Amino acid sequence: MARGIRALAVAALALALLAPGARAAGDGSVLVVGDSLQEMSGPYLERLLPDVPLTINAVGGYNSYQILDLFRESYDPSHSVIVFDAGTNDNPAYPQILAENLQAVAATVGPERCLVVPTIYGYTVNGYDNTGKNRVVRSFAASRPGTQTPDWGRVAETRKDLMQADDLHPTAAGAEYRARLIAAGIRACLGLGVAGEGRPSGESRAAAASVEVARMRPVGRVRERRDELVAALARGALGQAAAVAAVHALLPGG
């Protein structure tokens, strides 16, 4: 019975994600920018969307200002969908920073580009949790019909079996689950049907290390970071290293 309830919940979540998206302009390609969470999810995302041209530019520990820089570095008007996977490393006391950066992306791409903006699960700092940042994400989506908001924040909060001990980064199975949520948002933007929205396959960390990260299309500074990521995955040391980077990003001047 419990298994059936979980399956229904996953199906309902997928349907919620697949609300009609904006009619995407461009050539059907997708730009994904983000931090360490996207570094971990990116290899699975390519496997889930083998026929969708993806450009992934993600750097661990980056806040939304820095991820906006990655977007500006990577964006091409031919892109139909933009995944702006940011906010985890922003100081939660200042959600307006994320709001400004989301508006900057929207102003650049115009109303005909579909955006995918995951909800956020990050550290609580000085009593401030993720409520303000997630309010920003939902308000932005409400103001821009067609914006997809994969609810990673709720998954990370309720599915601790998918999280590492630092309670910030997903396990290999969690990274795959997260990629499935984002892939569903991309498919909705492109007007594609549901595909492969089942439960995580439960691949081990060793299996995750063998994913063909080289198939990613890294841009600029992320090339060297990609090689570091592969090595960290192989050592099983990604969680600790990424957590340190995330904490530094939350400090003043970080």
Side-chain angles (χ1 to χ4, degrees):
M1 176 66 72
R3 183 175 299 175
I5 293 173
R6 286 196 297 270
L8 287 173
V10 170
L13 179 59
L15 289 173
L17 283 170
L18 293 175
R23 184 177 298 278
D27 62 5
S29 62
V30 177
L31 171 63
V32 184
V33 292
D35 52 26
S36 61
L37 300 184
Q38 187 50 236
E39 284 186 316
M40 299 175 73
S41 299
Y44 296 107
L45 194 59
E46 280 218 338
R47 286 173 40 176
L48 290 165
L49 299 169
D51 299 323
V52 176
L54 293 175
T55 297
I56 300 176
N57 197 353
V59 179
Y62 268 22
N63 59 38
S64 64
Y65 275 130
Q66 294 167 308
I67 293 171
L68 179 63
D69 287 340
L70 295 182
F71 162 75
R72 288 170 170 160
E73 173 186 298
S74 311
Y75 176 65
D76 187 280
S78 64
H79 291 130
S80 294
V81 181
I82 311 301
V83 179
F84 194 72
D85 191 1
T88 298
N89 295 314
D90 287 12
N91 190 322
Y94 303 101
Q96 63 269 29
I97 292 174
L98 178 61
E100 291 173 6
N101 292 327
L102 283 169
Q103 291 298 334
V105 172
T108 299
V109 305
E112 295 185 339
R113 299 298 188 280
C114 191
L115 295 182
V116 178
V117 185
T119 60
I120 297 160
Y121 184 80
Y123 288 130
T124 295
V125 179
N126 296 327
Y128 290 93
D129 61 13
N130 306 291
T131 302
K133 291 188 283 189
N134 283 322
R135 187 180 297 119
V136 163
V137 170
R138 295 189 173 96
S139 176
F140 176 78
S143 71
R144 199 174 189 278
T147 299
Q148 303 296 307
T149 55
D151 203 356
W152 170 246
R154 182 177 296 276
V155 171
E157 184 176 349
T158 59
R159 289 291 307 275
K160 295 306 180 183
D161 57 307
L162 296 177
M163 302 297 289
Q164 294 188 34
D166 65 4
D167 197 32
L168 182 68
H169 296 90
T171 62
E176 182 186 12
Y177 195 108
R178 190 172 192 274
R180 289 180 182 276
L181 296 180
I182 294 171
I186 291 172
R187 295 181 69 87
C189 280
L190 294 174
L192 303 175
V194 181
E197 297 307 323
R199 297 170 62 193
S201 68
E203 290 180 318
S204 66
R205 186 169 286 143
S210 69
V211 171
E212 295 181 35
V213 181
R215 293 187 61 230
M216 292 171 60
R217 296 169 178 81
V219 178
R221 290 164 288 180
V222 80
R223 293 181 186 276
E224 292 182 3
R225 178 63 181 167
R226 179 197 64 191
D227 296 334
E228 295 171 2
L229 171 65
V230 174
L233 281 169
R235 296 195 307 271
L238 179 61
Q240 180 180 357
V244 171
V247 170
H248 278 294
L250 284 168
L251 296 175

